Amino acid sequence: MGDLISSLLFQPPPATYLHPTRHFWLESTSGGRIPAFFIERPNAQVTILFSHGNAEDLGMIYDWFNDLARVLRVNIMAYDYTGYGKSMPANISPCEDFCYADIETAYSYLTDVRRIQPEQIVLYGRSLGSGPSCYLASKTAREGRSVAGVILQSPLLSAFRVAFNFRFTMIGDRFPNIDYAPHIKCPVFIVHGTQDEVVPFWHGQDLFMALNQNWRAKPFWVEGAGHNNIEALLRSSGAFVDELSQFLDLHISARLGNISSPQIVPDCVPTALHVMSGVRD
């Protein structure tokens, strides 16, 4: 059962080319070496740490995030999981524990090498990437210094629940985001397509309800969108980027130059609106 789940969860594509000047190497606590990129924008106060889906790697996402960093006025870091892309050793298979080790390695790079404060870091996980993102968000909260926020796009409740609607997390299940969610202590923004054919829409809905009410940012349910076409469906309207920008503006205090612990959603929205109004005046 475990091998079957792993084969469905992890589908690394053939390594996509990414120019050597666009990535660097991290020594993961998993024991391997993983590639990562860091896109830096002038005067950016927020850094997004992105965890990709199960069938993509850095070479496939670099151009999109280079544009997104410019439009959102943020730094963006992304990394490959052990067993993906150009990670070494090349013959190793990805697994849940490696993903957790890899995001912790990337996070340590931001805080220890780049000297970016946790309160300036927003975790962004797409599909499979919701797993390491929820894991790290709950871990930093338990350790007493949470990240600033979390963005989850097409997230799963857990691996087994993609196929079966279990009420409880079963032994051997992977990426139990529903169990991490109640421990997250920062604003969480969930994006999910209502016609998702891979991770059913109700996963996003139930994960939203599993969060502490104080940390539920208004979700973005994308009518008619599937699992892999949200960005493409909304490209012409710009709605996807607008929603991301609004989440950062309303919920991430570092966005406005105030590096402080995350505020609960009922408080941070009026505070942000007041500050932004003062800026406009």
Side-chain angles (χ1 to χ4, degrees):
M1 182 70 166
D3 289 342
L4 175 61
I5 292 296
S6 290
S7 66
L8 295 174
L9 268 179
F10 302 107
Q11 301 178 21
T16 309
Y17 179 76
L18 184 62
H19 196 278
T21 61
R22 291 185 167 180
H23 75 272
F24 57 95
W25 293 94
L26 295 172
E27 301 292 333
S28 176
T29 55
S30 68
R33 298 181 74 216
I34 57 172
F37 64 66
F38 184 85
I39 299 170
E40 189 170 11
R41 297 300 306 174
N43 304 314
Q45 296 298 314
V46 173
T47 296
I48 289 176
L49 175 55
F50 180 75
S51 300
H52 63 65
N54 75 331
E56 52 190 357
D57 64 7
L58 293 189
M60 299 169 69
I61 64 176
Y62 182 89
D63 289 340
W64 163 254
F65 281 105
N66 193 37
D67 287 340
L68 190 65
R70 175 182 55 81
V71 174
L72 294 181
R73 297 175 286 111
V74 298
N75 304 320
I76 296 182
M77 180 177 180
Y79 63 98
D80 266 336
Y81 310 123
T82 299
Y84 273 73
K86 299 167 69 174
S87 65
M88 295 186 288
N91 60 349
I92 198 167
S93 296
C95 69
E96 181 185 19
D97 287 342
F98 286 168
C99 290
Y100 293 158
D102 296 337
I103 193 172
E104 289 193 79
T105 299
Y107 182 70
S108 294
Y109 169 81
L110 291 178
T111 58
D112 298 342
V113 178
R114 290 278 178 172
R115 299 295 180 184
I116 297 171
Q117 303 300 307
E119 296 82 7
Q120 296 176 280
I121 298 173
V122 173
L123 306 179
Y124 179 177
R126 181 162 62 205
S127 189
L128 174 71
S130 64
S133 297
C134 287
Y135 161 80
L136 184 60
S138 65
K139 183 174 187 290
T140 58
R142 289 196 307 269
E143 291 174 347
R145 196 171 182 191
S146 173
V147 294
V150 180
I151 299 168
L152 301 173
Q153 181 179 341
S154 309
L156 55 150
L157 291 173
S158 72
F160 283 1
R161 288 179 175 88
V162 173
F164 307 101
N165 189 7
F166 293 126
R167 292 184 59 195
F168 304 101
T169 299
M170 306 294 288
I171 295 174
D173 202 353
R174 314 288 170 82
F175 300 111
N177 294 336
I178 192 170
D179 298 330
Y180 292 130
H183 304 288
I184 296 174
K185 294 182 179 179
C186 62
V188 180
F189 176 49
I190 299 179
V191 181
H192 213 120
T194 61
Q195 300 299 317
D196 194 320
E197 71 287 0
V198 177
V199 180
F201 174 46
W202 58 265
H203 278 240
Q205 294 176 304
D206 285 6
L207 193 60
F208 176 80
M209 295 305 297
L211 297 165
N212 183 298
Q213 186 172 356
N214 284 329
W215 302 116
R216 298 174 189 164
K218 182 181 178 181
F220 183 31
W221 308 136
V222 186
E223 288 293 333
H227 190 70
N228 295 309
N229 68 341
I230 290 177
E231 293 91 341
L233 188 66
L234 300 177
R235 181 177 292 122
S236 60
S237 68
F240 180 67
V241 174
D242 288 345
E243 292 284 340
L244 293 178
S245 183
Q246 179 173 271
F247 170 73
L248 297 175
D249 288 341
L250 293 180
H251 300 286
I252 310 303
S253 59
R255 181 78 156 175
L256 301 171
N258 178 24
I259 300 175
S260 60
S261 299
Q263 283 188 295
I264 61 174
V265 169
D267 290 346
C268 63
V269 172
T271 298
L273 291 174
H274 176 73
V275 172
M276 287 189 291
S277 175
V279 170
R280 284 194 294 268
D281 294 344

